[in-house]
Amino acid sequence: MKVHKFGVEDANFRRSPGQQGDIDVANLVDQRHGGPITIGYGRYASSQTLTETMMVHDVMIVLDGRITVSTADGSVTASRGEIIYMPKGESVTITTEGEGALTAYVTHPHWEESHTG
Amino acid sequence: MKVHKFGVEDANFRRSPGQQGDIDVANLVDQRHGGPITIGYGRYASSQTLTETMMVHDVMIVLDGRITVSTADGSVTASRGEIIYMPKGESVTITTEGEGALTAYVTHPHWEESHTG
């Protein structure tokens, strides 16, 4: 693969698997491209909750809004320009409040290959 | 490692290795933490040029300003909220113009272990 630039206008959002809320994801680079990492955008409506155990290492960079990640050890909230790192194996609850959030994400390995069913 | 949140205020910037320009980097997560990816912030002054061959896969998310990456195939320019993916093995020239740039970066594997000398 060559050097590529992406923007939100390139994102083909679809419902994030394993949840019924209003959380959409759009992979821009993933297992289809032969490299070791997935890159994408995530879009969270307000007042959403998503609980999962991380199957991959996941970095979220907040581009707009505000997002909170809670674990058994406590919670962190990030807003624009801030980064939340969710290592593989961690059990997390991701929530938004009034404003929702737009994130960029980078995972290793590919998260989509780690989901079954 | 546990879930962590980072902001630019956590970054301990230092001159990016292998160049004499005004480009600073700050790893927040790297080989010291035992995982497979490096996370950090990059800060580029205006009118900088950095040429390198990618030793790792590198994702840059532009948080402020504007940055251009040129290869033999052409060039792309990204501004706030946009992403540039630079796969391992690509030869790139990274430039800023009048406004400089602030980026978040994620690399796999760790870029610092890939530098020698």
Side-chain angles (χ1 to χ4, degrees):
Chain A
M1 193 173 180
K2 301 291 186 179
V3 168
H4 267 74
K5 169 207 161 183
F6 304 99
V8 173
E9 69 276 9
D10 301 312
N12 183 15
F13 285 104
R14 58 192 174 76
R15 183 63 46 92
S16 178
Q19 55 94 31
Q20 300 302 315
D22 195 355
I23 302 173
D24 295 325
V25 295
N27 284 358
L28 298 163
V29 174
D30 60 18
Q31 60 280 358
R32 296 168 295 174
H33 302 92
I37 55 181
T38 290
I39 306 168
Y41 285 108
R43 193 174 56 188
Y44 298 72
S46 61
S47 305
Q48 299 301 307
T49 299
L50 170 59
T51 296
E52 59 180 330
T53 297
M54 305 307 300
M55 304 295 285
V56 298
H57 302 275
D58 191 332
V59 185
M60 285 199 305
I61 300 94
V62 180
L63 300 175
D64 245 322
R66 186 181 291 265
I67 201 161
T68 295
V69 176
S70 304
T71 68
D73 298 316
S75 70
V76 293
T77 298
S79 53
R80 193 165 81 191
E82 296 183 319
I83 300 168
I84 297 180
Y85 176 43
M86 299 182 289
K88 183 176 175 177
E90 290 283 292
S91 292
V92 304
T93 298
I94 303 174
T95 54
T96 55
E97 297 196 345
E99 53 193 327
L102 175 69
T103 65
Y105 57 78
V106 180
T107 80
H108 172 79
H110 300 296
W111 68 267
E112 215 159 14
E113 290 184 331
S114 302
H115 277 263
T116 56
Chain B
M1 195 173 179
K2 300 291 186 179
V3 168
H4 267 76
K5 169 206 162 185
F6 304 98
V8 172
E9 69 277 10
D10 300 312
N12 184 17
F13 285 105
R14 56 191 173 77
R15 182 63 47 90
S16 178
Q19 54 93 33
Q20 300 302 316
D22 195 356
I23 302 173
D24 296 325
V25 295
N27 284 359
L28 297 163
V29 174
D30 60 19
Q31 60 279 359
R32 296 167 295 174
H33 302 92
I37 55 180
T38 290
I39 306 169
Y41 285 109
R43 194 174 56 188
Y44 299 71
S46 61
S47 306
Q48 299 299 308
T49 299
L50 170 60
T51 296
E52 59 179 331
T53 296
M54 304 308 297
M55 304 296 283
V56 298
H57 301 276
D58 190 334
V59 184
M60 284 198 304
I61 300 96
V62 179
L63 300 174
D64 245 323
R66 184 181 292 264
I67 201 161
T68 296
V69 177
S70 304
T71 68
D73 298 315
S75 70
V76 292
T77 298
S79 52
R80 193 166 79 189
E82 296 182 321
I83 300 169
I84 298 180
Y85 177 42
M86 300 183 289
K88 183 176 174 176
E90 290 283 289
S91 292
V92 304
T93 298
I94 302 173
T95 54
T96 55
E97 297 194 345
E99 52 193 326
L102 176 69
T103 66
Y105 57 80
V106 180
T107 81
H108 172 79
H110 301 296
W111 68 267
E112 215 160 15
E113 289 182 333
S114 301
H115 276 262
T116 55

